Amino acid sequence: MNNLPIGIFDSGIGGTSVWKEIAALMPGEDTLYLADSRNAPYGERTGEEIIALSVKNTEWLLVKQCKIIVVACNTATTNAITYLRDQYPIPFIGIEPAIKPAALHSKTGTVGVLATKGTLASRLFSTTSKNHASHIRIVEQEGTGLVSLIESGRMNSGEVRELLKKYLVPMLDANMDHLVLGCTHFPYLMPVLKELLPDHIKIIDCGEAVARQTLRMLHDSEQLAGEEDPGRHQFFTNVDPGVLHDILAGLPGKKEVNYLDF
Protein backbone atom coordinates (compact mmCIF):
# COMPACT_ATOMS: atom_id res chain seq x y z
CA MET A 1 0.00 0.00 0.00
CA ASN A 2 2.88 2.38 0.78
CA ASN A 3 4.05 2.46 -2.83
CA LEU A 4 0.70 3.38 -4.34
CA PRO A 5 0.44 6.94 -5.69
CA ILE A 6 -1.06 10.06 -4.19
CA GLY A 7 -3.94 11.10 -6.43
CA ILE A 8 -4.55 14.78 -7.12
CA PHE A 9 -7.23 16.40 -9.27
CA ASP A 10 -8.15 19.94 -10.24
CA SER A 11 -10.29 21.72 -12.79
CA GLY A 12 -7.07 22.28 -14.75
CA ILE A 13 -3.45 23.17 -14.17
CA GLY A 14 -3.94 25.28 -11.03
CA GLY A 15 -3.60 22.37 -8.63
CA THR A 16 0.00 21.93 -9.73
CA SER A 17 0.72 24.72 -7.23
CA VAL A 18 -0.37 22.23 -4.55
CA TRP A 19 1.36 19.27 -6.24
CA LYS A 20 4.63 21.20 -6.12
CA GLU A 21 4.41 21.51 -2.33
CA ILE A 22 3.48 17.83 -1.93
CA ALA A 23 6.36 16.66 -4.12
CA ALA A 24 8.82 18.88 -2.24
CA LEU A 25 7.70 17.69 1.20
CA MET A 26 7.50 13.98 0.26
CA PRO A 27 10.14 13.37 -2.42
CA GLY A 28 9.75 9.60 -2.24
CA GLU A 29 6.05 9.56 -3.05
CA ASP A 30 4.66 8.77 -6.49
CA THR A 31 1.92 11.16 -7.61
CA LEU A 32 -0.79 11.02 -10.25
CA TYR A 33 -2.28 14.36 -11.27
CA LEU A 34 -5.50 14.74 -13.27
CA ALA A 35 -6.19 18.13 -14.91
CA ASP A 36 -9.79 18.44 -16.08
CA SER A 37 -9.02 21.55 -18.12
CA ARG A 38 -11.71 20.80 -20.68
CA ASN A 39 -14.33 21.59 -18.07
CA ALA A 40 -12.59 24.56 -16.45
CA PRO A 41 -13.43 26.76 -14.72
CA TYR A 42 -15.48 24.80 -12.19
CA GLY A 43 -16.26 28.06 -10.42
CA GLU A 44 -18.78 29.00 -13.10
CA ARG A 45 -20.67 25.68 -12.95
CA THR A 46 -23.64 24.62 -10.83
CA GLY A 47 -23.17 22.66 -7.62
CA GLU A 48 -24.62 19.55 -9.28
CA GLU A 49 -22.18 19.82 -12.18
CA ILE A 50 -19.23 20.26 -9.82
CA ILE A 51 -20.19 17.15 -7.86
CA ALA A 52 -20.61 15.11 -11.04
CA LEU A 53 -17.21 16.17 -12.38
CA SER A 54 -15.58 15.50 -9.01
CA VAL A 55 -17.08 12.01 -8.93
CA LYS A 56 -15.79 11.33 -12.43
CA ASN A 57 -12.30 12.48 -11.48
CA THR A 58 -12.33 10.47 -8.25
CA GLU A 59 -13.38 7.26 -9.94
CA TRP A 60 -10.63 7.61 -12.55
CA LEU A 61 -8.04 8.03 -9.78
CA LEU A 62 -9.45 5.04 -7.90
CA VAL A 63 -9.01 2.87 -10.99
CA LYS A 64 -5.35 3.93 -10.85
CA GLN A 65 -5.23 2.62 -7.24
CA CYS A 66 -4.40 5.90 -5.54
CA LYS A 67 -4.05 5.57 -1.76
CA ILE A 68 -5.30 9.08 -0.95
CA ILE A 69 -6.92 11.81 -3.04
CA VAL A 70 -6.16 15.51 -2.80
CA VAL A 71 -8.97 17.65 -4.19
CA ALA A 72 -6.64 20.43 -5.36
CA CYS A 73 -9.48 22.74 -6.31
CA ASN A 74 -11.19 25.18 -3.96
CA THR A 75 -14.48 25.03 -5.84
CA ALA A 76 -14.57 21.21 -5.94
CA THR A 77 -13.70 21.06 -2.24
CA THR A 78 -16.32 23.54 -1.11
CA ASN A 79 -19.05 21.99 -3.25
CA ALA A 80 -18.25 18.28 -3.44
CA ILE A 81 -15.87 16.97 -0.78
CA THR A 82 -18.58 16.13 1.75
CA TYR A 83 -20.35 14.06 -0.91
CA LEU A 84 -17.09 12.35 -1.92
CA ARG A 85 -16.25 11.43 1.68
CA ASP A 86 -19.73 9.95 2.13
CA GLN A 87 -19.49 7.87 -1.05
CA TYR A 88 -15.91 6.53 -1.03
CA PRO A 89 -13.81 4.91 1.72
CA ILE A 90 -10.52 6.45 0.54
CA PRO A 91 -9.21 9.48 2.51
CA PHE A 92 -9.78 12.87 0.87
CA ILE A 93 -7.88 16.08 1.55
CA GLY A 94 -9.58 19.28 0.50
CA ILE A 95 -8.59 22.85 -0.22
CA GLU A 96 -10.25 25.87 1.26
CA PRO A 97 -9.21 29.52 1.43
CA ALA A 98 -6.74 30.19 4.27
CA ILE A 99 -9.07 32.61 6.05
CA LYS A 100 -8.13 31.46 9.56
CA PRO A 101 -4.43 32.47 9.49
CA ALA A 102 -5.25 35.71 7.68
CA ALA A 103 -7.87 36.62 10.29
CA LEU A 104 -5.52 35.75 13.16
CA HIS A 105 -2.71 37.96 11.90
CA SER A 106 -4.62 40.89 10.40
CA LYS A 107 -3.75 44.22 12.01
CA THR A 108 -6.23 46.34 10.07
CA GLY A 109 -9.14 43.99 10.65
CA THR A 110 -9.76 43.59 6.92
CA VAL A 111 -8.89 40.57 4.78
CA GLY A 112 -9.42 40.28 1.03
CA VAL A 113 -10.40 36.98 -0.59
CA LEU A 114 -9.91 36.50 -4.32
CA ALA A 115 -11.77 33.37 -5.41
CA THR A 116 -14.18 31.92 -7.95
CA LYS A 117 -17.93 32.42 -7.81
CA GLY A 118 -18.41 28.75 -6.96
CA THR A 119 -16.17 28.95 -3.92
CA LEU A 120 -17.52 32.23 -2.57
CA ALA A 121 -21.13 31.05 -2.92
CA SER A 122 -20.56 27.71 -1.19
CA ARG A 123 -21.83 26.73 2.26
CA LEU A 124 -18.34 25.62 3.35
CA PHE A 125 -16.86 29.04 2.59
CA SER A 126 -19.64 30.73 4.54
CA THR A 127 -19.14 28.38 7.51
CA THR A 128 -15.36 28.84 7.50
CA SER A 129 -15.75 32.61 7.44
CA LYS A 130 -18.21 32.60 10.33
CA ASN A 131 -16.09 30.22 12.42
CA HIS A 132 -12.73 31.91 11.96
CA ALA A 133 -13.33 35.49 10.85
CA SER A 134 -16.48 36.77 12.51
CA HIS A 135 -14.44 39.50 14.23
CA ILE A 136 -12.99 40.97 11.03
CA ARG A 137 -14.23 42.31 7.72
CA ILE A 138 -13.85 40.01 4.72
CA VAL A 139 -13.95 41.64 1.29
CA GLU A 140 -14.90 38.97 -1.24
CA GLN A 141 -13.94 39.36 -4.89
CA GLU A 142 -14.82 37.01 -7.75
CA GLY A 143 -11.83 36.50 -10.02
CA THR A 144 -13.94 36.16 -13.15
CA GLY A 145 -11.87 35.41 -16.24
CA LEU A 146 -8.59 34.71 -14.45
CA VAL A 147 -8.75 30.90 -14.52
CA SER A 148 -9.31 30.82 -18.28
CA LEU A 149 -6.33 33.12 -18.86
CA ILE A 150 -4.10 30.98 -16.65
CA GLU A 151 -5.28 27.82 -18.42
CA SER A 152 -4.17 29.34 -21.72
CA GLY A 153 -0.76 30.23 -20.32
CA ARG A 154 -1.36 34.00 -20.15
CA MET A 155 -0.42 34.50 -16.49
CA ASN A 156 1.66 37.60 -17.17
CA SER A 157 -0.52 39.11 -19.88
CA GLY A 158 -1.91 42.61 -20.03
CA GLU A 159 -5.40 41.12 -19.71
CA VAL A 160 -4.51 39.52 -16.38
CA ARG A 161 -2.91 42.73 -15.16
CA GLU A 162 -6.00 44.82 -16.01
CA LEU A 163 -8.39 42.36 -14.38
CA LEU A 164 -6.31 42.23 -11.21
CA LYS A 165 -6.10 46.02 -11.03
CA LYS A 166 -9.91 46.16 -11.14
CA TYR A 167 -10.41 43.32 -8.65
CA LEU A 168 -7.93 44.67 -6.10
CA VAL A 169 -9.46 48.16 -5.88
CA PRO A 170 -12.33 47.38 -3.44
CA MET A 171 -10.02 45.36 -1.20
CA LEU A 172 -7.38 48.08 -1.13
CA ASP A 173 -10.01 50.73 -0.52
CA ALA A 174 -11.17 48.70 2.51
CA ASN A 175 -7.61 48.74 3.91
CA MET A 176 -6.91 45.02 3.74
CA ASP A 177 -3.53 43.81 4.99
CA HIS A 178 -3.88 40.15 3.91
CA LEU A 179 -4.98 38.78 0.54
CA VAL A 180 -6.20 35.19 0.56
CA LEU A 181 -5.95 33.35 -2.76
CA GLY A 182 -9.05 31.18 -2.85
CA CYS A 183 -8.24 29.27 -6.03
CA THR A 184 -5.27 26.98 -6.67
CA HIS A 185 -4.75 28.65 -10.06
CA PHE A 186 -4.08 32.01 -8.45
CA PRO A 187 -0.58 31.37 -7.00
CA TYR A 188 0.58 31.57 -10.62
CA LEU A 189 -0.45 35.23 -10.50
CA MET A 190 1.91 35.93 -7.60
CA PRO A 191 4.51 37.88 -9.66
CA VAL A 192 1.85 40.27 -10.98
CA LEU A 193 0.13 40.56 -7.60
CA LYS A 194 3.40 41.50 -5.93
CA GLU A 195 3.90 44.23 -8.51
CA LEU A 196 0.42 45.66 -7.98
CA LEU A 197 0.14 45.41 -4.19
CA PRO A 198 1.89 47.47 -1.51
CA ASP A 199 4.72 45.63 0.21
CA HIS A 200 2.94 45.40 3.57
CA ILE A 201 0.11 43.23 2.21
CA LYS A 202 0.70 39.54 2.84
CA ILE A 203 -0.51 37.11 0.17
CA ILE A 204 -1.62 33.72 1.49
CA ASP A 205 -2.35 30.46 -0.30
CA CYS A 206 -2.88 27.02 1.18
CA GLY A 207 -0.50 24.80 -0.80
CA GLU A 208 2.07 24.24 1.93
CA ALA A 209 -0.59 23.55 4.58
CA VAL A 210 -2.26 20.99 2.31
CA ALA A 211 1.07 19.21 1.77
CA ARG A 212 1.63 19.03 5.54
CA GLN A 213 -1.86 17.62 6.08
CA THR A 214 -1.25 14.99 3.37
CA LEU A 215 1.99 13.98 5.11
CA ARG A 216 0.21 13.72 8.48
CA MET A 217 -2.59 11.55 7.12
CA LEU A 218 -0.22 9.18 5.33
CA HIS A 219 2.02 8.96 8.39
CA ASP A 220 -0.87 8.26 10.76
CA SER A 221 -2.24 5.53 8.46
CA GLU A 222 1.26 4.06 7.93
CA GLN A 223 1.06 4.57 4.17
CA LEU A 224 4.15 6.70 3.60
CA ALA A 225 6.52 5.52 0.89
CA GLY A 226 10.21 5.24 1.61
CA GLU A 227 12.59 7.96 0.43
CA GLU A 228 15.25 5.66 -0.98
CA ASP A 229 14.11 6.35 -4.52
CA PRO A 230 12.66 9.60 -5.93
CA GLY A 231 8.97 9.58 -6.68
CA ARG A 232 7.53 9.24 -10.17
CA HIS A 233 5.09 11.96 -11.19
CA GLN A 234 2.48 11.37 -13.89
CA PHE A 235 0.26 14.16 -15.20
CA PHE A 236 -2.84 13.72 -17.34
CA THR A 237 -4.76 16.50 -19.09
CA ASN A 238 -7.73 16.42 -21.47
CA VAL A 239 -6.58 19.44 -23.52
CA ASP A 240 -3.35 20.34 -25.33
CA PRO A 241 -0.63 19.55 -22.75
CA GLY A 242 1.61 22.42 -23.86
CA VAL A 243 0.79 24.82 -21.00
CA LEU A 244 1.14 22.02 -18.45
CA HIS A 245 4.55 21.16 -19.94
CA ASP A 246 5.64 24.77 -19.61
CA ILE A 247 4.53 25.09 -15.99
CA LEU A 248 6.34 21.91 -14.97
CA ALA A 249 9.54 22.71 -16.86
CA GLY A 250 12.44 23.22 -14.52
CA LEU A 251 10.74 21.68 -11.49
CA PRO A 252 12.59 18.72 -9.93
CA GLY A 253 11.60 15.08 -10.25
CA LYS A 254 10.77 12.59 -12.95
CA LYS A 255 7.67 13.89 -14.71
CA GLU A 256 5.51 12.53 -17.51
CA VAL A 257 2.78 14.60 -19.14
CA ASN A 258 0.10 12.71 -21.05
CA TYR A 259 -2.98 13.65 -23.04
CA LEU A 260 -6.11 11.85 -21.84
CA ASP A 261 -9.40 11.87 -23.76
CA PHE A 262 -11.42 12.17 -20.57
Side-chain angles (χ1 to χ4, degrees):
M1 191 69 174
N2 292 358
N3 294 320
L4 295 177
I6 297 171
I8 305 167
F9 78 79
D10 180 38
S11 62
I13 61 175
T16 54
S17 63
V18 177
W19 167 83
K20 182 169 57 175
E21 300 291 347
I22 290 172
L25 187 61
M26 293 170 279
E29 294 287 348
D30 291 347
T31 64
L32 202 159
Y33 183 98
L34 177 60
D36 186 24
S37 293
R38 187 180 295 168
N39 291 301
Y42 281 11
E44 297 177 9
R45 293 184 174 275
T46 67
E48 291 77 12
E49 288 175 321
I50 295 163
I51 289 173
L53 291 168
S54 298
V55 165
K56 184 180 179 183
N57 297 337
T58 294
E59 294 191 347
W60 188 86
L61 291 171
L62 289 175
V63 169
K64 297 295 184 179
Q65 296 187 298
C66 293
K67 60 186 175 183
I68 192 169
I69 293 178
V70 179
V71 183
C73 173
N74 293 79
T75 301
T77 296
T78 52
N79 287 272
I81 200 162
T82 300
Y83 180 87
L84 296 176
R85 286 172 173 158
D86 287 344
Q87 295 297 312
Y88 303 99
I90 191 170
F92 287 89
I93 294 177
I95 312 286
E96 57 183 271
I99 293 171
K100 183 178 180 179
L104 284 172
H105 295 103
S106 176
K107 299 292 191 295
T108 65
T110 301
V111 169
V113 179
L114 182 65
T116 65
K117 178 181 179 181
T119 293
L120 294 174
S122 69
R123 181 179 300 174
L124 180 57
F125 177 81
S126 176
T127 301
T128 301
S129 299
K130 289 176 182 176
N131 288 345
H132 301 299
S134 60
H135 62 292
I136 68 165
R137 180 183 181 189
I138 296 180
V139 182
E140 302 173 11
Q141 176 60 56
E142 292 180 18
T144 307
L146 293 173
V147 170
S148 297
L149 288 167
I150 295 166
E151 283 289 319
S152 62
R154 291 178 283 172
M155 295 84 158
N156 298 303
S157 66
E159 295 157 287
V160 160
R161 194 173 301 272
E162 290 307 309
L163 283 176
L164 286 176
K165 284 180 181 177
K166 180 174 71 172
Y167 294 156
L168 293 172
V169 166
M171 294 185 277
L172 290 169
D173 287 347
N175 199 27
M176 74 165 174
D177 59 0
H178 286 68
L179 174 63
V180 176
L181 303 183
C183 173
T184 55
H185 283 75
F186 293 170
Y188 288 110
L189 303 177
M190 198 76 78
V192 180
L193 285 168
K194 287 182 176 179
E195 286 180 27
L196 297 176
L197 289 171
D199 292 340
H200 73 276
I201 295 179
K202 184 172 178 59
I203 306 171
I204 302 179
D205 77 88
C206 60
E208 187 177 342
V210 170
R212 290 197 302 268
Q213 176 66 2
T214 305
L215 174 61
R216 279 194 294 269
M217 289 188 70
L218 290 177
H219 176 270
D220 291 348
S221 60
E222 300 182 344
Q223 294 187 79
L224 280 171
E227 294 190 10
E228 297 82 9
D229 299 310
R232 178 189 179 198
H233 307 296
Q234 299 181 77
F235 296 82
F236 295 84
T237 178
N238 51 15
V239 299
D240 183 343
V243 175
L244 187 53
H245 266 295
D246 291 344
I247 281 182
L248 297 171
L251 294 177
K254 297 181 291 185
K255 301 181 291 295
E256 304 171 16
V257 179
N258 307 277
Y259 171 76
L260 177 70
D261 189 9
F262 177 78

